[in-house]
Amino acid sequence: MKTGIIILAAGESTRLGYPKQIAKYKDKTLLQLAIDAANGCEAHKRVLVLGANRDEIKKTFPGASIPNIPNPHYQKGMSSSLKIGLEYMLKFDEPDQVIIMLCDQPFVDAKLLNKLIATQEKEGKGIVACAYSKTVGVPILFGKAYFQELMELKGDEGAKKIALAHEEDLVTISFPKGKIDIDTEEDLQQLKN
C-alpha cells in the first residue's frame, strides 16, 4: 500500500497573532516538527500545503526537504487546503491511502504516523484516526475509498466529519497528547512549561 502524507499548514493563526507554523518548541518550529515526523515515517510521499504568510514561513525550512504547494484560497477554510493537497497527491503519486496531519500538534512524531499505517495493515479498515479527549481526530489515515468524500468537504469542515460518518470502517489508536495543539500564546507557554 502506497501511503501519502498531507500536512495542512495554510491557516492564518489569527488567535496567536503571528504564524503558528514558525512558533518554536524545543528549538524547532512547529512546522519543522511536523515535517520531521512526515519525513521520518514509512510513508512513500508527502506534501505540505501553505497559504497565509507563505513567504515568511518558507524561509524557516529547507525547501528541498518536502514538496510544498500554495493554497491561494486558504481563506475558504481547511477543506480547501485538504483538496489542494489531495489533488497534488493524486496527480503525481497515486497513493492507496493518505494521512492528513496539521502543523500545530507538537507531539505528533514518526512513530505515531507509523502506528497509523501499521494499524491499517493489521485491521484492514478504511479509516484510522487518533483518539483523544473523548473524540477522534488528526492525524488521520483514509483509504482510497474516501478520497471523493474528502474532496467534497466545504469550509472549515475537517476529515473528522467523514470518520464519524463511517464508524463501521473506523479504527482508532490512542493518542492522549493529540489534544495539545497550539492556537494561542497561552497554549505555547503551557507547552513550554
Side-chain angles (χ1 to χ4, degrees):
M1 292 276 266
K2 246 171 103 173
T3 306
I5 294 188
I6 303 168
I7 304 176
L8 305 180
E12 293 182 89
S13 316
T14 41
R15 284 179 284 174
L16 187 59
Y18 63 94
K20 70 165 87 170
Q21 297 90 331
I22 62 173
K24 289 260 174 95
Y25 176 59
K26 290 192 172 171
D27 296 329
K28 287 191 174 181
T29 64
L30 292 178
L31 180 57
Q32 191 63 57
L33 290 170
I35 292 170
D36 289 352
N39 282 341
C41 81
E42 290 163 18
H44 301 82
K45 294 287 177 182
R46 33 204 74 72
V47 66
L48 165 65
V49 184
L50 295 171
N53 308 299
R54 180 170 166 247
D55 294 336
E56 186 183 348
I57 293 161
K58 277 184 84 166
K59 290 178 192 150
T60 67
F61 68 93
S65 63
I66 189 166
N68 58 86
I69 53 173
N71 174 9
H73 313 294
Y74 64 88
Q75 280 147 326
K76 290 184 177 168
M78 192 157 53
S79 65
S80 66
S81 292
L82 203 160
K83 282 181 215 168
I84 281 182
L86 188 54
E87 275 169 4
Y88 174 93
M89 279 272 155
L90 295 176
K91 189 173 172 185
F92 295 106
D93 305 315
E94 296 177 9
D96 300 299
Q97 55 192 20
V98 295
I99 292 172
I100 295 155
M101 61 181 284
L102 308 179
C103 73
D104 65 353
Q105 289 175 298
F107 294 105
V108 169
D109 58 13
K111 215 160 93 180
L112 179 78
L113 300 176
N114 282 339
K115 197 171 174 188
L116 288 170
I117 296 167
T119 302
Q120 193 290 321
E121 268 175 46
K122 187 173 151 225
E123 304 288 338
K125 297 280 191 184
I127 306 170
V128 186
C130 289
Y132 46 87
S133 302
K134 298 190 178 124
T135 187
V136 300
V138 289
I140 186 167
L141 179 151
F142 285 95
K144 209 180 239 172
Y146 295 99
F147 290 178
Q148 191 51 47
E149 278 183 69
L150 289 168
M151 293 299 277
E152 287 164 9
L153 288 170
K154 294 192 168 38
D156 265 326
E157 285 179 338
K160 176 177 166 178
K161 178 186 174 190
I162 296 170
L164 294 174
H166 298 280
E167 286 190 53
E168 75 295 338
D169 197 25
L170 165 69
V171 63
T172 63
I173 61 173
S174 174
F175 178 43
K177 285 183 166 176
K179 68 172 194 257
I180 299 166
D181 65 354
I182 307 303
D183 290 315
T184 64
E185 192 59 51
E186 195 183 7
D187 293 341
L188 201 54
Q189 290 318 313
Q190 277 180 339
L191 177 67
K192 288 174 178 174
N193 298 334

